[in-house]
Amino acid sequence: MKRRKFLQVAGVAGAGVAAASCGPQDVPDHWVPYASTPEDITPGIPTWYASTCKECPAGCGILVKTREGRPIKIEGNPRHPVNRGKLCARGQAALQGLYDPDRVTQPMKRTGTAWAAITWDQAETEVATALGAAASAGADRVALLTGAGSGPLDRITDAFTTAFKSKHRLRYEAFAYEPIREANRLTFGMASLPNYDFGAAKYVLSFGADFLETWISPTSNQIGFAAAHSPHAGGMAKYVAVETRRGNTAYSADEWIAPKPGTEHLVALAIANSVAKGVKNHVGDVDALRGFLAPFDSHTVSGQSGVPAEVIDRIATEFAAASPSLAVGPGVAHQTASATQLAVAVNILNVVAGNIGKTVSFPAASVWDHVGSFKDLSDLLAAMGAGTVDVALVHGANPAYSYPGTGFAEAFAKVKLKVSLSSYLDETASLCDLILPDHHALESWDIVEPMTGVSGTVQPAIRPIHSSKQSFDVLVALAQKAGKSIAPAGVTTAREMVAKTAGAGLAAQLQHGGAFTTTAARPVRLARDYSKLAFTPASFTGAADGLVLLATPSPMLYDGRGANKPWLNEIPDPAAKITWQTWAEIHPETAARLGLANGDIVKVTAPNGQTIRPAVYVYPGVRRDVVAIPIGRGHKQYGRFAANHGSNPFHLLAPLTDSSGALVYCQARVSVTREGGNYPLATTEGSSRQMGRGISRLVPIGELTPSHSEERGEDLTEPERNAIGAVELSQGKRRDIGVYEQPHAKWEMTIDLSKCTGCGACVAACHAENNIPTVGPEQVIRSREMSWIRIERYFEGDTSGTDWQVAQIPMLCQQCSNAPCEPVCPVYAAYHTPDGLNGQIYNRCVGTRYCANNCPYKVRYFNFWDYGSSIAPMYAFPGPLVLQLNPDVTVRTKGVMEKCTFCVQRIRFAQNDARVRGIDLTDGAVTTACAQTCPSGAIVFGNAHETGSAVNKSKRADANRAYTVFEQLNTKPGITYLSRVVHAGTREA
Amino acid sequence: MATMVTPVAGEPTYAEVNRDIIRTLDPPGLGWFAAMGVVFVGLMIGGYCFAKQLKYGIGVTGYTPPIFWGTYITTFVFWVGIAHSGTLISAILFLFRSAWRAAVYRAAEAMTVFAVLTAGLFPVLHLGRAWFAYWVAPYPNVRGVWSNFKSPLVWDIFAISTYLTVSATFLAMGLIPDVSSLRDQAVGWRRKVYSVVSLGWRNSDNEWRHFMRMYLFLAGLSTPLVLSVHSVVSWDFAMGIVPGWHATIFAPYFVAGAIYSGCGMVITILVPLRHYFKLQRYLQIKHFENLAKLCILTSSVVGYSYMTEFFIAWQSGNAIERATFYNRVFGQYWWATWTMLTCNVFIPLLLWNKRVRTSLTWLFVISIFVNIGMWFERFVIIVTSLAHEFEPWQWAYYLPNHIEIGIVIGSFSWFTMWFMLFIKFFPSIAISEVKEALPPPMRVTRTDGGH
Amino acid sequence: MTRNRVTIAGGIVLGLGAILAGVSLARGQSAAGDTSKQTASDTAHAADTTGPVRWTFPGTAMSGAGYSDISHARPNGPWPTLPGRLKGPVQPIFYRHDIHAGQYKIPCLYCHNNAANSWTANIPSVQTCIGCHLVISAADTAGKPYPDIAKLRGYNDSAQSIPWARVYKISEHAHFPHMRHVNAGVPCQTCHGNVQQLARVFPVNDVNNMGFCTDCHMKRGVTRDCTACHF
């Protein structure tokens, strides 16, 4: 072959291979600078906007990090009293709601099943005329259905319905805590939700409240709880969970008590009773209660609930002794027919233990005061069904998904003009005739008041991506077009309304994220109205041999609104560790009885005949007579990430209400039968037991002596100690290879397992910061999930009973000084940086995967597909989702290994910044994304070469429970874990 | 082990030797082309699978973290192992002066070269970014980045390439005299090719003297390679801290296994070769019996190594080590492990029986089992160890999928292709060395030009 | 048919070799690949493409294709004569660095101010240009402004951005902190060449060639840690 010929071949072949190798680089071949330079944007430097999270009614303050005008990350606002700089996974995932590729991009009109685009003017005119007609046709022919709202803008929407002579103004939340509000009305005379001060409580007694997941204000709860429930000078609070299913919240419990379903309120009263007995000196309220409590003595209740009398009495003594203590409940999943009774019992517990005003205090007003009950929704539906409603506007609520059974669609169809003000085509929107898309919270203006004294401002962090319009403006415009005026003079938009409300303080409020004042709690007096309630075990529909159905709120998807966000689908459920699917938790013994194994598809049939087909997850954390199914999936609509994943337990429920008008979530005994067929669970769980390998360690508080670390001494066996000694001797000076001296930093981390609750906020933060792709269920089944930080969950003890513990541990790259991954990389893609990190150079990696084989912690993740290439089949950032990517972090191509590097981009950014300013990098000036967001403050990051640094302090302070994982391998990890301390349940007594 | 055996029965004349062996080079028949057709299909399958893997990424395979190495590395080690007995027979037995090797060594030697050629594909095939494979080799570049000589994978590069060079040279060397006698008969372009390959060999005493020196020298050079190459390959694993890999026994263990699998493959190849080319007079039962004996020896060494591994795991008292090996035998991968034990340790016990080891049918069947068993040995070592490592949360289960199987098929076709081409272009039995063992021809019997 | 068989075998062998060679050529990873690229691009500038050590101080005259001679250019004097051959991408507006930075000695940071405080050096907004060119119009005798300035004012009136053609582009996997280099006193010319002499900017250096970076970092004894740029 001639040489020229050869070269041609070479060229062609080379081109071919090159083309195969590099994905498309979405690089503009043009610089398009600003026409006029904006003051607040420096290309390459992030700009932060203070705002308020609207993913749930808790109203946490957030700081939105934007680059070149697009939000790329959300962090908590340190000045905000609710969440104090922390943020949960749902709050951070708001970004993916903003960039959802399936958002409604413009006003749409439905003809049959087809949607056609129309202009805003057409849409508003059509609705306005309909509204006018409805108003003139008579009273109450217009309905406005929204989610929980608060603040001046929300109040104006009340004027909207009045303007059209209607009283159908309903703020609907699937999780509305009616029983607690009702119970507070009955016992304290105010139908409101109090603030629970978990931080001050020395003893937490929870009756099914998932207060670390979805319950009222989880982030704020977690901040307080973690502080109180981890060892500190004042000892350590004890947490006892009384519930039929042990969820993620109860993983932190020192003791789990599982009474018969529907008897929780009796247990609570029995405890209150024996507490009251213990109260010798005469306290007015307590004396008033003695008579009422008398019938609920521990032995009778023990018979009804199956909880041993001595346990009841012991809990009572502990509860009374530890003052102030705190009783909470019920949680949404445990809303039985006697939910209100349980809430009352919980109040009584707090009264007899004297917690009112200490750990339970009532703000002057709360966002929950205006939220309607499930009964209100049913009434509105009845009105709709009767055809007396002509125009219905729905905003920020998806009742078509969360209303039990199929009742909603039928009644809703009777409405002449159904208008959705949603940004997404969810189940409710798809039933409507018109969609007038709302701005996302990150595009809109608002003032949120979760409680008196906290007024958080919401400001846009990005120009509207689509041709959407904020619902407030729409309502004002509609009223105007219909000849009504609802807003104050001169106000036509939300922005003007915010400006008008804030007045002179606007600038300050926008900078600080709101105006925060401390207000006195409302005084509380004991009412006696609760005695009218019947305190008997709750009844259940369905055959007696069925399993009691628990529809559990999902800590990731909340009431289903999170299902359109890939992160929340892929971050494993903190309890079941399953992604993208809907599963049915069944106790091992029950599963054996029914002949079921993990992944078996079962047919769950409710008394009302409805069925769903989830896969079985055999789980020791539920009672033998209970089956738990998570809420949140099984959407028919709501975008590509939500639709047709899993199944929806709401279908199994009947619209029953308890005495407070709440939906009875825990109402039915269902039949669970094997359907045949099996699909592998998309779980991240390999083994649920750690085989005594000391990965996540528990230490009973009794054994936690100052010299505990020496006494436990199980870290190294004799041969291991000798071997390591010999190695170090032979290594001589090279022993410290990988540990560079000053001025180099040595980045290290401590993780306090006593604080970690396994909530998964850190995982979300890592996804946002590091452009981690979501891979979908099929790949998770192959355990190819890419999350750089994972939370492992091991069961400790005999799980056949209730006396077992859960050992959780966030596992991320340990940044070993003596790393096994580094020497085996043939191309130095894995290498040791001078500041003690295990660097990973993506563009150098050829993908031998040897490093991952050799990593004992298994924290290296391989790009099996081209997740970053828009033409690849597994593209992870379709549509606008790509705008969320952090420009400081390379998007990895296929075939390279990736892993946690302690957010090296944040470190380098801070170092460069400090150098340019000519200042030293102080401790705390740089932290990792996970440490920044951890609501428990379990993760501490810093420079181990600074003696005074926080990471060194925390290591010294808790030296007695500090340990490193797999110490016998002599990898010298940069992460030090602090054992979790437990009040070891009954064993302690 | 090397018993002096006269390789050829019935004392054929030099002329007959020439005729018999050169006959193997006759224009191929239908059978040959049919076989080549199958090989071609296999190559296409492999090529398609690899192309798909290049386009979409390693995700098309069955890899299930934390099992990051699977079928590819298994097959890589398998082929490297195959290569070894070739060198053993051609070089070491030569140094041991065991004449019986003369008849079999050429085929074995060729097998070695082609096996290494095949093995060499896999380190590239299994890469996440195969188009950057050359980064692993140290070469001067403006970036001033070098490859990491601490990494066993870099040692592999040197081990494999050295082995390929030496064994290829050795093969070419040995071919010279035979090719020259081919040249003397060939016409047309073949004559040109052969005269190039035979480097103008004229059969002079001087040339023979140099030839024998060179041959001895190369034999001496390749002998240590038999030990070194597979030791280096074994260190890919032994250097890792993975329980089940991190063992000092690995180097000898792998070398023994390599020779074992090699002997198996030699038998698998020679039996049909003998049959189709009617070489019964040259490839005799005795030769096969000797190979069988070698199998018995190496199989017992391998079996011993297995037992040592299990014993040490138990005796170490290291819970994690124990868990790995317990899982290996009774855990999720019990089937692989028991296949390995059966094929490598139990079935070869039959060879102790003389009737079995002198029956070609039996030998052929057993040799197939040996090949299967040795593939599974590598699978067991690599996969079961990775599947049950330190971190229980990350335990998983892996099975190869169609893409990986397709590529393995491709690799076998690749190997077969080279071998099929070889036997049609070069004598697969060493003419000159067979002649060496014959009494020099008397004038009266002299019939043709061959002196 | 034997002939065919030989060619098949040969084809396979050559094919493999070809692919390997092809890869290294296409990726331009080997030293040979780089030098060949540079010499191929423009032999006249071998001098300033061989590495940052040879960069020339501002004002020092460079000659060759694409460079205009500013040695005699004085403010308010005649514009530097255009070089015989212009190189680099054609821009929407013929903005002449040799006039602004060369003849009138406007500092780079006057327009590219973010280079001093940000990772990326900004391209000035129309606002920045019009700041001067509201008054400076380089009008001809008839008082008509110079055509490109007229274009600029057009962009300004319609509040449009100018779609400048991109000259330098660093790969996504490398992060270059402009501010560190500017604050360390590294002249812009080190990487961007004698821009003050360029009537039209062209890529003087291959900034994507990592050797170009490491060479300088080695010579100045500053960090060579990979994660300084790659993360």
Side-chain angles (χ1 to χ4, degrees), chain B residues 148-359:
Chain B
N148 178 1
F149 290 97
K150 289 198 235 67
S151 168
L153 296 183
V154 175
W155 308 347
D156 267 0
I157 298 273
F158 293 107
I160 302 295
S161 50
T162 316
Y163 195 34
L164 183 59
T165 329
V166 172
S167 52
T169 321
F170 198 31
L171 177 65
M173 258 290 291
L175 274 172
I176 290 179
D178 295 5
V179 174
S180 73
S181 44
L182 289 176
R183 173 198 59 200
D184 302 342
Q185 305 194 351
V187 290
W189 64 271
R190 273 172 174 259
R191 187 183 184 86
K192 293 206 190 67
V193 174
Y194 286 141
S195 42
V196 172
V197 177
S198 60
L199 306 172
W201 176 271
R202 282 180 290 95
N203 252 345
S204 69
D205 299 353
N206 221 1
E207 284 172 337
W208 272 107
R209 195 161 61 254
H210 291 307
F211 177 83
M212 291 319 293
R213 287 267 170 68
M214 185 59 184
Y215 200 89
L216 188 63
F217 168 69
L218 276 176
L221 194 61
S222 18
T223 305
L225 284 181
V226 177
L227 305 178
S228 72
V229 172
H230 220 58
S231 303
V232 171
V233 170
S234 79
W235 292 334
D236 286 352
F237 309 105
M239 289 290 154
I241 66 172
V242 178
W245 286 10
H246 193 52
T248 45
I249 193 182
F250 259 42
Y253 169 19
F254 268 50
V255 172
I259 294 165
Y260 180 42
S261 64
C263 291
M265 190 55 101
V266 172
I267 296 176
T268 319
I269 289 175
L270 284 187
V271 170
L273 198 70
R274 175 181 195 264
H275 174 72
Y276 287 118
F277 291 147
K278 320 232 168 345
L279 299 172
Q280 287 78 351
R281 295 170 77 190
Y282 307 92
L283 300 173
Q284 296 163 11
I285 299 301
K286 286 203 181 59
H287 306 149
F288 286 101
E289 186 175 2
N290 286 332
L291 282 171
K293 286 177 182 162
L294 200 49
C295 279
I296 295 175
L297 174 75
T298 45
S299 125
S300 34
V301 175
V302 167
Y304 171 77
S305 312
Y306 296 157
M307 279 181 287
T308 318
E309 272 195 309
F310 291 123
F311 172 74
I312 294 295
W314 167 79
Q315 187 251 9
S316 71
N318 180 331
I320 294 175
E321 194 81 9
R322 280 183 180 179
T324 304
F325 280 91
Y326 184 87
N327 180 64
R328 185 176 281 186
V329 191
F330 305 108
Q332 51 195 153
Y333 280 111
W334 63 270
W335 50 270
T337 312
W338 287 104
T339 314
M340 168 188 91
L341 291 173
T342 319
C343 297
N344 291 355
V345 183
F346 303 137
I347 292 183
L349 292 179
L350 294 168
L351 293 173
W352 288 97
N353 177 325
K354 189 171 176 72
R355 275 220 308 293
V356 173
R357 72 170 180 262
T358 50
S359 138

Side-chain angles (χ1 to χ4, degrees), chain C residues 52-110:
Chain C
V53 271
R54 296 262 204 86
W55 66 271
T56 54
F57 284 91
T60 321
M62 283 291 315
S63 62
Y67 287 81
S68 40
D69 173 13
I70 59 168
S71 46
H72 309 302
R74 299 277 168 277
N76 304 322
W79 288 347
T81 47
L82 283 173
R85 174 174 146 238
L86 286 172
K87 298 170 59 188
V90 178
Q91 300 290 359
I93 292 181
F94 184 33
Y95 174 85
R96 289 183 59 178
H97 277 88
D98 59 345
I99 297 176
H100 294 80
Q103 181 179 14
Y104 287 91
K105 303 213 163 11
I106 304 174
C108 310
L109 289 177
Y110 182 84

Side-chain angles (χ1 to χ4, degrees), chain B residues 309-433:
Chain B
E309 272 195 309
F310 291 123
F311 172 74
I312 294 295
W314 167 79
Q315 187 251 9
S316 71
N318 180 331
I320 294 175
E321 194 81 9
R322 280 183 180 179
T324 304
F325 280 91
Y326 184 87
N327 180 64
R328 185 176 281 186
V329 191
F330 305 108
Q332 51 195 153
Y333 280 111
W334 63 270
W335 50 270
T337 312
W338 287 104
T339 314
M340 168 188 91
L341 291 173
T342 319
C343 297
N344 291 355
V345 183
F346 303 137
I347 292 183
L349 292 179
L350 294 168
L351 293 173
W352 288 97
N353 177 325
K354 189 171 176 72
R355 275 220 308 293
V356 173
R357 72 170 180 262
T358 50
S359 138
L360 286 188
T361 331
W362 272 102
L363 276 178
F364 187 71
V365 172
I366 290 176
S367 74
I368 296 291
F369 274 113
V370 170
N371 294 333
I372 295 172
M374 285 312 292
W375 189 89
F376 267 96
E377 175 191 305
R378 279 63 177 249
F379 183 85
V380 167
I381 290 171
I382 294 169
V383 173
T384 66
S385 309
L386 290 173
H388 206 79
E389 255 205 67
F390 294 97
E391 193 80 5
W393 191 254
Q394 294 295 85
W395 287 347
Y397 187 64
Y398 154 89
L399 283 180
N401 75 346
H402 60 283
I403 294 285
E404 290 160 284
I405 293 166
I407 286 189
V408 171
I409 290 173
S411 79
F412 275 86
S413 315
W414 171 257
F415 172 82
T416 324
M417 176 192 76
W418 286 112
F419 202 86
M420 301 270 293
L421 290 172
F422 177 80
I423 57 178
K424 272 300 159 191
F425 283 95
F426 296 102
S428 36
I429 296 181
I431 302 175
S432 51
E433 300 199 30

Side-chain angles (χ1 to χ4, degrees), chain A residues 795-834:
Chain A
F795 299 132
E796 290 287 300
D798 170 18
T799 51
S800 63
T802 60
D803 185 13
W804 46 275
Q805 292 292 349
V806 182
Q808 301 186 94
I809 180 171
M811 185 53 70
L812 59 157
C813 176
Q814 303 285 307
Q815 314 294 345
C816 311
S817 298
N818 193 3
C821 54
E822 285 162 3
V824 297
C825 175
V827 293
Y828 281 122
Y831 82 108
H832 210 75
T833 73

Side-chain angles (χ1 to χ4, degrees), chain A residues 510-867:
Chain A
L510 292 182
Q511 282 163 19
H512 300 165
F516 314 116
T517 54
T518 49
T519 57
R522 276 194 278 179
V524 172
R525 59 156 189 78
L526 190 65
R528 295 299 311 274
D529 309 341
Y530 55 80
S531 46
K532 288 196 268 331
L533 297 170
F535 287 86
T536 53
S539 60
F540 294 93
T541 60
D545 64 341
L547 300 177
V548 172
L549 170 71
L550 272 191
T552 56
S554 159
M556 290 301 157
L557 311 176
Y558 199 65
D559 59 0
R561 68 184 63 172
N564 64 334
K565 306 175 181 67
W567 291 346
L568 297 184
N569 279 306
E570 184 134 323
I571 299 173
D573 176 275
K577 295 296 173 187
I578 296 172
T579 66
W580 291 100
Q581 298 170 339
T582 298
W583 62 94
E585 294 169 4
I586 294 181
H587 189 276
E589 286 182 19
T590 318
R593 181 163 59 79
L594 301 173
L596 296 171
N598 274 345
D600 286 349
I601 301 169
V602 286
K603 181 170 158 199
V604 183
T605 317
N608 61 5
Q610 297 285 346
T611 63
I612 61 171
R613 288 173 173 70
V616 168
Y617 175 58
V618 179
Y619 178 59
V622 289
R623 270 179 63 100
R624 287 161 182 71
D625 54 359
V626 168
V627 55
I629 301 177
I631 294 170
R633 294 205 175 86
H635 286 268
K636 299 268 164 300
Q637 305 281 340
Y638 204 27
R640 68 191 71 177
F641 299 113
N644 311 324
H645 282 289
S647 43
N648 180 2
F650 276 114
H651 287 320
L652 298 175
L653 300 181
L656 307 179
T657 56
D658 82 333
S659 53
S660 70
L663 171 63
V664 181
Y665 275 81
C666 185
Q667 57 174 228
R669 288 204 171 83
V670 296
S671 83
V672 177
T673 55
R674 199 152 190 290
E675 183 73 349
N678 171 306
Y679 58 78
L681 293 169
T683 175
T684 62
E685 175 183 43
S687 157
S688 66
R689 291 293 188 152
Q690 54 178 332
M691 314 287 163
R693 297 186 177 185
I695 296 165
S696 172
R697 298 184 184 170
L698 307 179
V699 42
I701 194 161
E703 298 174 18
L704 185 67
T705 58
S707 60
H708 171 66
S709 50
E710 292 76 50
E711 289 159 8
R712 69 166 190 260
E714 83 266 12
D715 284 11
L716 292 181
T717 65
E718 194 54 36
E720 284 165 348
R721 194 174 289 105
N722 298 342
I724 291 179
V727 169
E728 304 237 312
L729 197 64
S730 68
Q731 281 181 325
K733 277 213 169 348
R734 289 178 298 109
R735 182 185 328 127
D736 296 332
I737 201 159
V739 184
Y740 293 65
E741 292 84 10
Q742 303 269 32
H744 289 299
K746 173 148 185 0
W747 301 111
E748 285 196 2
M749 188 180 268
T750 60
I751 300 181
D752 186 344
L753 301 179
S754 269
K755 292 203 170 91
C756 175
T757 69
C759 67
C762 50
V763 184
C766 188
H767 275 76
E769 174 70 29
N770 293 303
N771 302 340
I772 295 175
T774 50
V775 301
E778 294 77 12
Q779 297 303 308
V780 175
I781 288 169
R782 287 193 171 287
S783 56
R784 290 172 177 176
E785 62 273 2
M786 300 297 286
S787 172
W788 289 357
I789 176 171
R790 62 173 187 264
I791 295 168
E792 304 184 347
R793 185 263 287 123
Y794 298 110
F795 299 132
E796 290 287 300
D798 170 18
T799 51
S800 63
T802 60
D803 185 13
W804 46 275
Q805 292 292 349
V806 182
Q808 301 186 94
I809 180 171
M811 185 53 70
L812 59 157
C813 176
Q814 303 285 307
Q815 314 294 345
C816 311
S817 298
N818 193 3
C821 54
E822 285 162 3
V824 297
C825 175
V827 293
Y828 281 122
Y831 82 108
H832 210 75
T833 73
D835 44 0
L837 304 175
N838 303 131
Q840 178 67 16
I841 308 307
Y842 310 124
N843 47 302
R844 175 65 173 167
C845 176
V846 297
T848 68
R849 308 189 290 288
Y850 200 166
C851 54
N853 285 341
N854 217 31
C855 172
Y857 308 95
K858 291 285 165 266
V859 287
R860 294 179 150 268
Y861 301 89
F862 185 70
N863 285 272
F864 282 96
W865 304 90
D866 214 342
Y867 297 112

